[in-house]
Amino acid sequence: MSASIDSSAIFLTDTPNQIKNKINRHAFSGGQDTLEKHRELGGRTKEDVPFQYLTFFMEDDEELERLRVGYEKGEILTGEMKQKCIAELQAFVSAFQERRKMVTEE
């Protein structure tokens, strides 16, 4: 996910669907190669782009810690982490876009 590549970077003007597609297609996962390995070894949150996004955008520190522990234990899968990230980013960008609409030249 690079800011110099429009098809992968997240912008404050992106639609919810664009955010979903960018995270699902371009966000590097810290998960293992197979479900069995992931359940056994767990995910690598330091390498997982969706988790890293959550460290900036998720307000609930307890929920973030629950996600970290669950992912590293293999209880939470890559797809679940991406879905959580998508929901947080969509909410953040949508709220920004709503506030931006209210800005006037006055």
Side-chain angles (χ1 to χ4, degrees), residues 23-36:
I23 294 296
N24 281 332
R25 291 183 185 154
H26 302 288
F28 180 78
S29 162
Q32 301 297 332
D33 296 336
T34 65
L35 176 62
E36 293 78 23

Side-chain angles (χ1 to χ4, degrees), residues 67-82:
L67 289 170
R68 183 191 68 76
V69 170
Y71 194 64
E72 290 178 352
K73 285 182 174 181
E75 296 168 354
I76 294 174
L77 302 176
T78 297
E80 294 168 298
M81 187 65 77
K82 284 187 175 188

Side-chain angles (χ1 to χ4, degrees), residues 4 17-18 20 33 45 58 63 65 92 102 106:
S4 63
N17 196 48
Q18 286 173 314
K20 181 182 99 173
D33 296 336
T45 54
M58 182 173 268
E63 174 67 4
E65 180 63 9
F92 181 86
M102 294 188 291
E106 295 176 7

Side-chain angles (χ1 to χ4, degrees), residues 96-104:
F96 172 82
Q97 290 171 350
E98 288 300 315
R99 290 189 305 272
R100 185 176 178 199
K101 286 179 189 174
M102 294 188 291
V103 174
T104 64

